[in-house]
Amino acid sequence: MTKEYHIPVLLDTSIEGLNIQPGGIYVDLTFGGGGHSREILKHLGREGRLIAFDQDADAWENAPEDDRFTLVKHNFRYLQHFLDYLGIEKVDGVLGDLGVSSHHFDSPERGFSFRFDGALDMRMGPGIELTAADIINGYSENQLFSIFKLYGEVPSCGKLVRAILAERNNKPFRSTADLRNLAQTVAPKKDVNKFLAQVFQALRIEVNREMEVLEEVLMQMPSVIKPEGRLVVIAYHSLEDRMVKNFIRSGNFAKSQADTDLYGNRDVPFKAVTRKAVQAGDEEVKENPRARSAKLRIAEKL
Ligand SMILES: C[S@@+](CC[C@H](N)C(=O)[O-])C[C@H]1O[C@@H](n2cnc3c(N)ncnc32)[C@H](O)[C@@H]1O
C-alpha cells in the first residue's frame, strides 16, 4: 500500500542527514506515505520518539502502530504549538519533504492533476479556505498573473490570464478539465504537458499557501531544534529551495547575507552541513521521476 501511495525521495541521504541518536526526539513535518518516518523509526531505540505531521486525511491511514510514534493531524505551521502541547521543549532533528505526495496526483477527485477530470479543488487539508476554482474564478488579473509567474514560472502567462478572464465571464471554471481545455489553447505547442504542469503547480502552491507556511515553520526552527540537532529539507520548487538556502545561510529570507554582531561575528542559528543542495542520482530518477526536481539541504543547529 505505502509503496504505491508515495515512493520516498532521497531516503538514505535524508536519514543520514538527520544523524539520528537512538534516544532522540525527531519530527517528520510531512508524513505522507510514511516512507521517511518508518526509516527514522528503524534508527530509533526504545526511548526515541517521532512526531509526524500531515494535514491530509488520506495520509493518516498510513500511520504505523508504534508507541514511539505520534501523528499530528494538522498543518505543520503549528509545530511549536503542538510540541508545547506534547510537553516537548526541543527536538534533535526535523525533516520536511515538501509539497504533495504521488497519491495526491493519482486521486482525480482531489483536482491536483491535469491528467484526470475532477473538481478544481487542490486543498490539502480541512483548514484551507479557497479552492483552486475560487482562485481561478475570483482573483483579479494582477493576482492571477503573479501566481502563475512566481509559483509556476508559466511562460507568457499574460496570455493565459486574459484567456481565463474572458472564459470565466461566460461560465465559471468548475473542473480540472475546464482549466486544462482552456490552458491547452494558449500552451506552447511543443510542450503542452509541461505548461499544464506549471499552471497546476502554481495554483496548488497558492491554494495551500505553501510559501507562507514554509516561512512560518522555518522561523520556528532556531527555537525548536537543540544545539547540534539537524534540519533536513527536501524542496521541489526553486522558490522553496531558495527560501531554505537563504534561511540556512543567514537565518532570514530576504537576503543570503547574515546579520553580524558588534564584533562582526555572523549571527546565524544554523550552519550548512552540505555546501550545495544534494540531488537524486540517475538511478533514483529513473525509478522515481518525481525525484528529478528534488533538492535536499542539511543544516546543523549552532
Ligand atoms: C512529499 S509528501 C511526503 C512524503 C513522505 N516523505 C513519504 O515518504 O511518504 C508531502 C506530504 O506532506 C503533507 N503536507 C504538505 N504540506 C503540509 C503542511 N503545511 N502541513 C501538514 N502536512 C503537509 C502532504 O499532505 C503530503 O502528504
Side-chain angles (χ1 to χ4, degrees):
M1 146 105 184
T2 308
K3 193 162 190 306
E4 288 153 19
Y5 192 96
H6 184 86
I7 304 171
V9 170
L10 289 164
L11 184 61
D12 294 343
T13 325
S14 52
I15 299 300
E16 264 168 46
L18 279 174
N19 189 27
I20 297 173
Q21 310 301 308
I25 306 177
Y26 292 84
V27 173
D28 179 354
L29 293 172
T30 49
F31 177 71
H36 286 95
S37 273
R38 263 186 297 279
E39 203 58 32
I40 294 171
L41 286 168
K42 279 190 205 158
H43 286 72
L44 286 178
R46 279 302 329 142
E47 305 304 316
R49 250 184 114 174
L50 173 61
I51 318 299
F53 283 73
D54 207 299
Q55 60 185 345
D56 193 306
D58 289 354
W60 305 342
E61 308 284 312
N62 303 317
E65 286 282 334
D66 189 313
D67 54 16
R68 300 166 300 167
F69 177 78
T70 306
L71 180 61
V72 180
K73 299 172 173 174
H74 289 275
N75 195 302
F76 60 58
R77 76 198 309 173
Y78 305 118
L79 171 66
Q80 177 78 68
H81 169 88
F82 279 99
L83 291 181
D84 291 348
Y85 174 75
L86 293 166
I88 297 169
E89 208 183 313
K90 286 192 186 292
V91 303
D92 296 272
V94 174
L95 170 78
D97 177 18
L98 305 173
V100 282
S101 65
S102 307
H103 169 80
H104 284 112
F105 291 121
D106 294 338
S107 308
E109 71 286 359
R110 305 293 301 270
F112 289 100
S113 174
F114 62 84
R115 288 182 290 133
F116 309 110
D117 192 13
L120 197 50
D121 190 322
M122 302 197 193
R123 286 172 300 174
M124 263 191 242
I128 295 159
E129 285 165 16
L130 291 188
T131 65
D134 294 330
I135 289 168
I136 289 286
N137 294 319
Y139 270 24
S140 70
E141 182 170 1
N142 282 346
Q143 284 174 309
L144 287 174
F145 185 85
S146 304
I147 63 166
F148 288 130
K149 192 166 175 57
L150 205 61
Y151 300 154
E153 295 166 79
V154 176
S156 344
C157 52
K159 215 161 129 189
L160 170 69
V161 172
R162 284 190 295 278
I164 290 172
L165 295 181
E167 180 74 12
R168 78 185 190 191
N169 274 339
N170 297 330
K171 76 173 176 47
F173 288 80
R174 301 217 182 281
S175 67
T176 49
D178 290 344
L179 180 60
R180 183 190 58 219
N181 294 340
L182 184 279
Q184 271 169 340
T185 64
V186 294
K189 294 292 161 269
K190 62 176 174 16
D191 216 344
V192 177
N193 281 354
K194 183 171 176 208
F195 183 84
L196 294 175
Q198 288 168 314
V199 170
F200 275 64
Q201 170 183 276
L203 273 172
R204 189 203 88 212
I205 292 177
E206 176 68 6
V207 167
N208 296 290
R209 307 265 179 244
E210 291 179 35
M211 303 308 296
E212 208 175 291
V213 296
L214 176 60
E215 187 170 322
E216 272 182 48
V217 83
L218 286 174
M219 290 308 287
Q220 297 171 42
M221 292 304 144
S223 53
V224 158
I225 301 181
K226 287 179 193 165
E228 295 183 23
R230 292 287 179 90
L231 169 66
V232 176
V233 184
I234 307 172
Y236 298 84
H237 186 283
S238 57
L239 275 183
E240 281 176 343
D241 179 57
R242 197 175 320 141
M243 198 183 255
V244 176
K245 181 175 79 177
N246 284 349
F247 176 73
I248 291 173
R249 280 199 189 152
S250 65
N252 61 49
F253 307 106
K255 51 187 181 167
S256 54
Q257 287 295 314
D259 292 330
T260 48
D261 66 15
L262 277 178
Y263 308 99
N265 299 315
R266 279 160 52 80
D267 193 10
V268 287
F270 286 93
K271 72 165 189 227
V273 172
T274 43
R275 202 174 58 80
K276 289 173 85 176
V278 180
Q279 291 188 265
D282 294 344
E283 211 166 300
E284 179 170 358
V285 172
K286 207 164 111 198
E287 281 188 10
N288 182 13
R290 229 192 106 82
R292 184 175 295 118
S293 53
K295 286 195 170 165
L296 178 148
R297 293 187 187 268
I298 305 168
E300 185 168 298
K301 176 76 173 45
L302 293 169

